[in-house]
Amino acid sequence: MKNIAVLGITGSIGNSTIAVIREHPDKFNITLATAHHNTELLFEYAHEFGIKHLVITGSKLPAAPPPGSIIYHGEKELLSLISELDLDIVLNAIAGSAGLLSSITTIESGIDLALANKESLVLAGHLIKNKLRSSKSRVLPVDSEHSAVFQCLEGHQPSEISKIILTASGGPFRDLPLDQFTNITLDKALKHPTWTMGTKVTIDSATMMNKALEVIEAHWLFDTEYDKIEAIMHPQSIIHSFVEFADGSIMAQLSNPTMKLPVLYALSYPQHIPSDLIRTSILDLPQMNFRPLTPERYPLYFLAIEAGKTGGLLPTIINAVNEAAISLFLNHKISFNDIYKLIDQACQTENNISHPDIDTIINTNLSMHTKYLTNYQNYL
Amino acid sequence: MKNIAVLGITGSIGNSTIAVIREHPDKFNITLATAHHNTELLFEYAHEFGIKHLVITGSKLPAAPPPGSIIYHGEKELLSLISELDLDIVLNAIAGSAGLLSSITTIESGIDLALANKESLVLAGHLIKNKLRSSKSRVLPVDSEHSAVFQCLEGHQPSEISKIILTASGGPFRDLPLDQFTNITLDKALKHPTWTMGTKVTIDSATMMNKALEVIEAHWLFDTEYDKIEAIMHPQSIIHSFVEFADGSIMAQLSNPTMKLPVLYALSYPQHIPSDLIRTSILDLPQMNFRPLTPERYPLYFLAIEAGKTGGLLPTIINAVNEAAISLFLNHKISFNDIYKLIDQACQTENNISHPDIDTIINTNLSMHTKYLTNYQNYL
C-alpha cells in the first residue's frame, strides 16, 4: 500500500487519479489532498476515500469537512504536511507556477514526485536537478508524452539517446488556413480535437506553447540537450512519443488517448499493474500520420524553445507572460494572436539573469504576471 | 572488445553481422566463424577480419585457408570450439534444425547466445529453458520481431505482459485472391515484398509458417503463454512488434526494415551504441496499417500454432516436415498448397511424445525429414 498525496485533486489530472485509485483501493491510499477553490468536490473525495489531511490553497470558504478529516489552508501548511507526513508519492497536479514549491519540498523530503506540473521544471529545472542529486526522490512524469519517453527509456541511459520526439495533436487549429488565425474565437480555441483537459492547457495546445514547455521539461527530465528533442504533429494522439536511440532503434509508447495511464504508471512504477481503465486495439487504430510543426502555424512553439535554450530566468518570464496572456484571452481582452505578441515582446525587452535562485524565480513570476496582466495594452 | 563467434557467417544474417562488425572493429572481434558450403566467402571474411578459427560444416572442399587461420570440419569440432574458446557471444545464424546443438553447447558453456536460429527454441524450448536456469548465458534475440519484443520488455517482467503482438509483412501473397493460391509458382513465392532474406525463410513468410515458428519462439523466449501471443499483418514492416502491458500501455519498436539493427543490439546489449547503419525518419514513414491474419489465407500459421501449444515432439515434427516440404517445393516436386497438406498430414498421423530429450528430437527431426522428403507422394 502506497501513501499518496494528490495536489490539485479536483482538476483534470485529479479526476484521472481518482479513477485509478478507485480501481486499486488495495494499492493506493490517499493521505493528503489539496484543492484551490472546489472544496465541495474535495470533501466528496475525502468522504469516499477517507482522506485525513485536506488543504485548501485558494479561498477559505466555510464548509463542513467530513468527519475524521483535518482542514488546512494555504501553501505554507501544505509544504509542512509534505515534509512531515509519511508519504510514498506526491502527485503534483497543481495548475501552473503555483506548483513549484510543492515539487521542491517533495524532493527535499526524499519522496517520489509524480509530476503533472510542468512549470516546476520549466521555471526551476536547474534547481530541481541539483536537489535530486542529493535526494532519494525520483521524478515520475505524469503527462502522456513524458510518460511515453520515460517508458521508452527504461533500462537505458540518456547518453544512449539520439533523439526524443514528442508528439503533438496539433490542437484545434492544425488545419485552419493561416489567414484565419486573426479570427480565432475563444470558443474555437477551447475545442481540443483529441484530449479533454483544463482550460489553460487547451489554449496552450492551440498555441503549441504547451509543446514548447514539454520540450523544456523533457530537457530536464531526461538530461538531454535541446538539439536532441523535437516535436512533431500526430493528429490521432495514439503514439504519445518516440525515443530514437544512438543505433537507430526507435521505441514508441501508445494507447488510445487517456491521462489515466500516465497517472497509473507513475503510481505503480516500476511495475505495470493489471488495469481495465484503458484498452487499445491495434487492429482498430485509425490511420496514423505525422507532420512537422511549422513556424508559420506555431510561432510560439519556436519562440518558447529558444527561451528554453537561453535558460536562466527567461523560461519563467515567458511562462508568466503566457499565463497572463491566457487570462486576458479567456476574458476577451486580447486576441488569440496577441498571446504570441505579448510573449515575444517580453522576450525582447525583459532582462534575463542566469542561474536564478528560487526567490528570484517566484518573485519574477509574480511581477511579470501582474505587469502583463495589467499593462498588456502597452505591449501590443 | 567482445569476442564473437558467428555461426553461419556466409548467410543473410551473417551478411548483416559483417556490416555491423565492419562499423565497430573496436568493439567486436570475430574469433570463430562457420560456413556450410561457401568456403570462398568464409575465407574472404577470415582474411578481412583475421578470424583464427574456421569451421566448415558441410562439404570438405579443398581450398587454401588464409594464413593464420585454422580449419576445422563438422559439427563435433564446432561444439568443442564453442566450449573451449574464450567467447563472449555466440551468434547462431545456422539455418534450420542444424543449429540446435550449437545453441545448447553455448548455453552449457555459459556464453551469451545471440539467437537467429529459431529452430533451437521451436524444437527444444523446454530443454533450453531448463539449461538456462543453471547457466549465466542470456539469450539475445536476433530477429526483428523478437528483438523488438525484447526491447519493449526492458525493465519489466513477463508477468507484466498482457499481450505480445508480433507483426508480419504478410509475405508475397497477402493480397493474392484466395482462388489463385493453387497457381502459385516458385518465382512468385520467392519475391518477398519488404525483406531480403534466405530462400527458406522467404517461403516460410509466404506460408506464414515463419510467423508461427516465431510465436513458438516468443513463447519460450519471453516466458509467455500462447494465449497472450498473437501475430497481425503489417505490410510496411516498420513496427517490428508490440508489447501490451497489464495496464494497457503498449510499447512498440520500429525502424525501416533491416536485420543489421537486431544484430547490432544483440551484440551491444545492454547498450544502444552509436551507429549509422540505419536511420528512420518518422515524418517520412509510409501510412502504416494492420490487419488480422486469417485461416483462409494462412492455414499453416494456425495449424503450426496448435502444434506449438500441443508441444512435446510435435513442433519438431512440423518443422522437419516443413523443411522437407520446402525442399520439395523448391525442386518443383510439390505445389505451394502441398506444403500445408504435408504438415497437416504429419500432425494427424505422427505420434507425439511429451518432454522429448535431445537425442529423440534430433533423431525424429532427421527421420521425419527423410520420410516426407522421399515418400511425400504417399501423404498428398
Side-chain angles (χ1 to χ4, degrees):
Chain A
M1 182 72 90
K2 290 182 182 176
N3 286 323
I4 317 271
V6 184
L7 316 188
I9 200 167
T10 60
S12 162
I13 300 282
N15 190 265
S16 294
T17 307
I18 290 299
V20 165
I21 292 178
R22 270 198 193 117
E23 199 195 33
H24 300 281
D26 54 320
K27 292 199 172 62
F28 308 120
N29 174 45
I30 311 179
T31 307
L32 163 66
T34 82
H36 196 54
H37 285 301
N38 195 346
T39 48
E40 197 179 340
L41 187 55
L42 175 69
F43 290 174
E44 214 174 275
Y45 289 150
H47 185 77
E48 179 179 353
F49 296 99
I51 309 170
K52 187 161 178 194
H53 305 280
L54 306 177
V55 183
I56 299 160
T57 50
S59 51
K60 291 197 184 195
L61 291 177
S69 293
I70 309 167
I71 313 297
Y72 307 81
H73 292 277
E75 188 179 47
K76 204 173 159 194
E77 294 201 333
L78 169 59
L79 301 181
S80 298
L81 285 166
I82 291 172
S83 62
E84 286 161 19
L85 293 177
D86 180 26
L87 294 166
D88 296 299
I89 303 180
V90 171
L91 194 159
N92 185 352
I94 293 175
S97 49
L100 175 55
L101 286 180
S102 293
S103 289
I104 288 181
T105 301
T106 299
I107 293 167
E108 285 174 343
S109 308
I111 304 165
D112 282 346
L113 175 63
L115 187 61
N117 174 271
K118 52 174 69 68
E119 288 79 3
S120 296
L121 285 169
V122 171
L123 274 58
H126 58 296
L127 301 178
I128 285 178
K129 287 307 280 187
N130 205 30
K131 284 190 185 295
L132 280 169
R133 279 186 204 103
S134 55
S135 169
K136 66 182 181 66
S137 299
R138 298 174 295 192
V139 180
L140 308 167
V142 177
D143 201 349
S144 60
E145 295 82 356
H146 299 85
S147 181
V149 173
F150 186 66
Q151 292 179 59
C152 290
L153 276 175
E154 256 167 63
H156 295 285
Q157 300 300 318
S159 59
E160 296 171 58
I161 298 171
S162 168
K163 200 173 280 177
I164 290 173
I165 302 164
L166 304 177
T167 54
S169 70
F173 309 131
R174 61 194 181 203
D175 297 316
L176 189 73
L178 291 176
D179 59 9
Q180 292 180 29
F181 270 67
T182 46
N183 307 324
I184 288 172
T185 61
L186 179 58
D187 276 1
K188 285 179 191 158
L190 286 175
K191 281 202 183 105
H192 194 278
T194 50
W195 292 95
T196 306
M197 305 179 292
T199 313
K200 197 254 177 188
V201 181
T202 303
I203 304 296
D204 279 341
S205 292
T207 61
M208 208 54 81
M209 177 69 169
N210 191 41
K211 209 51 54 177
L213 298 178
E214 288 177 9
V215 168
I216 298 173
E217 193 185 2
H219 162 73
W220 294 112
L221 264 178
F222 306 117
D223 265 323
T224 299
E225 302 122 75
Y226 282 105
D227 63 3
K228 292 185 171 178
I229 310 173
E230 64 184 46
I232 60 175
M233 206 198 297
H234 169 42
Q236 298 79 22
S237 299
I238 299 292
I239 296 187
H240 301 309
S241 281
F242 299 92
V243 171
E244 182 187 52
F245 286 102
D247 56 5
S249 180
I250 299 177
M251 300 300 297
Q253 188 266 344
L254 57 147
S255 74
N256 287 324
T258 175
M259 280 310 299
K260 290 170 194 157
L261 197 46
V263 168
L264 174 59
Y265 192 59
L267 297 186
S268 69
Y269 179 81
Q271 265 204 308
H272 293 284
I273 64 173
S275 167
D276 293 322
L277 291 172
I278 187 81
R279 287 288 135 179
T280 307
S281 164
I282 301 291
L283 291 174
D284 297 327
L285 287 182
Q287 280 284 3
M288 292 187 285
N289 50 58
F290 308 97
R291 287 184 260 163
L293 299 183
T294 61
E296 294 73 29
R297 188 170 293 276
Y298 301 112
L300 188 49
Y301 170 78
F302 294 89
L303 178 68
I305 299 274
E306 285 308 309
K309 285 185 191 171
T310 305
L313 208 49
L314 200 55
T316 298
I317 294 168
I318 61 160
N319 185 68
V321 178
N322 183 54
E323 288 190 11
I326 291 179
S327 290
L328 292 164
F329 177 62
L330 292 175
N331 287 301
H332 303 279
K333 307 270 188 180
I334 64 171
S335 74
F336 183 78
N337 282 347
D338 287 341
I339 299 172
Y340 171 82
K341 283 183 199 160
L342 282 181
I343 297 170
D344 184 40
Q345 184 64 20
C347 284
Q348 289 182 41
T349 55
E350 302 298 341
N351 289 326
N352 189 18
I353 59 167
S354 47
H355 305 289
D357 61 20
I358 191 72
D359 288 341
T360 309
I361 291 170
I362 289 174
N363 292 335
T364 304
N365 182 58
L366 285 174
S367 65
M368 286 293 145
H369 192 270
T370 309
K371 177 175 171 181
Y372 283 79
L373 197 62
T374 50
N375 304 320
Y376 64 93
Q377 282 162 321
N378 302 346
Y379 309 109
L380 289 174
Chain B
M1 181 74 91
K2 290 182 183 176
N3 287 323
I4 317 272
V6 185
L7 316 187
I9 199 169
T10 61
S12 162
I13 300 282
N15 190 266
S16 295
T17 307
I18 290 298
V20 164
I21 292 178
R22 271 199 192 115
E23 199 195 34
H24 300 280
D26 55 320
K27 292 199 172 62
F28 309 121
N29 174 45
I30 311 179
T31 308
L32 163 67
T34 82
H36 196 54
H37 285 302
N38 195 345
T39 49
E40 197 178 340
L41 187 56
L42 176 68
F43 290 174
E44 213 175 276
Y45 289 151
H47 185 77
E48 178 179 353
F49 296 98
I51 309 172
K52 187 160 179 196
H53 305 280
L54 306 176
V55 183
I56 300 161
T57 50
S59 50
K60 291 199 182 194
L61 293 178
S69 293
I70 310 167
I71 313 295
Y72 307 81
H73 291 279
E75 186 179 48
K76 206 174 156 190
E77 295 201 334
L78 169 59
L79 301 181
S80 297
L81 285 167
I82 291 172
S83 62
E84 285 161 20
L85 293 176
D86 180 25
L87 294 167
D88 296 300
I89 302 180
V90 171
L91 193 157
N92 185 353
I94 293 175
S97 49
L100 175 55
L101 285 179
S102 293
S103 289
I104 288 181
T105 302
T106 300
I107 293 167
E108 285 175 344
S109 307
I111 304 164
D112 281 346
L113 175 63
L115 188 61
N117 174 270
K118 53 175 68 69
E119 289 78 3
S120 296
L121 286 168
V122 170
L123 274 58
H126 58 297
L127 300 177
I128 285 179
K129 288 306 279 185
N130 205 29
K131 285 190 186 294
L132 280 169
R133 278 185 206 106
S134 55
S135 168
K136 66 183 181 67
S137 300
R138 297 173 296 192
V139 180
L140 307 167
V142 178
D143 201 349
S144 59
E145 294 82 356
H146 299 85
S147 180
V149 173
F150 187 65
Q151 292 179 60
C152 290
L153 275 175
E154 257 168 65
H156 296 284
Q157 300 301 318
S159 59
E160 296 171 59
I161 297 171
S162 167
K163 201 174 281 179
I164 290 173
I165 303 164
L166 304 177
T167 55
S169 69
F173 309 132
R174 61 192 179 202
D175 298 316
L176 189 74
L178 291 176
D179 59 8
Q180 291 180 32
F181 270 68
T182 46
N183 306 325
I184 288 173
T185 61
L186 180 57
D187 277 1
K188 284 179 191 157
L190 287 175
K191 282 201 183 105
H192 195 277
T194 49
W195 292 95
T196 307
M197 304 179 293
T199 312
K200 197 256 177 186
V201 181
T202 303
I203 304 297
D204 279 340
S205 292
T207 61
M208 208 53 79
M209 178 69 168
N210 191 40
K211 208 54 52 178
L213 297 178
E214 288 177 8
V215 168
I216 298 173
E217 194 186 1
H219 162 74
W220 294 111
L221 266 177
F222 307 116
D223 265 324
T224 299
E225 301 122 74
Y226 282 104
D227 63 3
K228 291 185 173 181
I229 310 173
E230 64 183 45
I232 61 174
M233 204 196 297
H234 168 43
Q236 298 79 23
S237 299
I238 299 291
I239 296 187
H240 301 309
S241 282
F242 299 91
V243 171
E244 181 187 53
F245 287 101
D247 56 6
S249 181
I250 299 177
M251 300 300 297
Q253 188 267 343
L254 58 146
S255 74
N256 287 324
T258 176
M259 278 312 297
K260 291 170 193 155
L261 196 48
V263 169
L264 174 59
Y265 192 60
L267 297 186
S268 69
Y269 179 80
Q271 263 205 305
H272 293 285
I273 64 173
S275 167
D276 293 322
L277 291 172
I278 187 82
R279 286 289 135 178
T280 307
S281 164
I282 301 290
L283 291 175
D284 297 328
L285 287 183
Q287 280 283 4
M288 293 188 283
N289 51 57
F290 307 97
R291 287 184 260 163
L293 299 182
T294 62
E296 294 72 30
R297 186 169 295 274
Y298 301 112
L300 189 48
Y301 170 79
F302 294 89
L303 179 66
I305 297 274
E306 284 309 309
K309 284 184 192 172
T310 304
L313 209 50
L314 201 54
T316 299
I317 294 168
I318 61 160
N319 185 67
V321 178
N322 182 54
E323 287 190 12
I326 290 178
S327 290
L328 292 164
F329 177 62
L330 292 175
N331 288 301
H332 304 278
K333 306 271 188 182
I334 64 171
S335 73
F336 183 78
N337 282 348
D338 287 342
I339 299 172
Y340 171 82
K341 284 183 199 158
L342 283 180
I343 297 169
D344 184 40
Q345 184 64 21
C347 283
Q348 288 181 40
T349 56
E350 302 299 340
N351 288 327
N352 189 19
I353 60 166
S354 46
H355 305 290
D357 61 21
I358 191 73
D359 289 339
T360 309
I361 290 170
I362 289 174
N363 292 335
T364 304
N365 182 58
L366 285 174
S367 65
M368 285 293 144
H369 191 269
T370 310
K371 176 175 171 182
Y372 282 80
L373 197 62
T374 49
N375 304 320
Y376 64 93
Q377 282 160 323
N378 301 347
Y379 308 110
L380 288 173

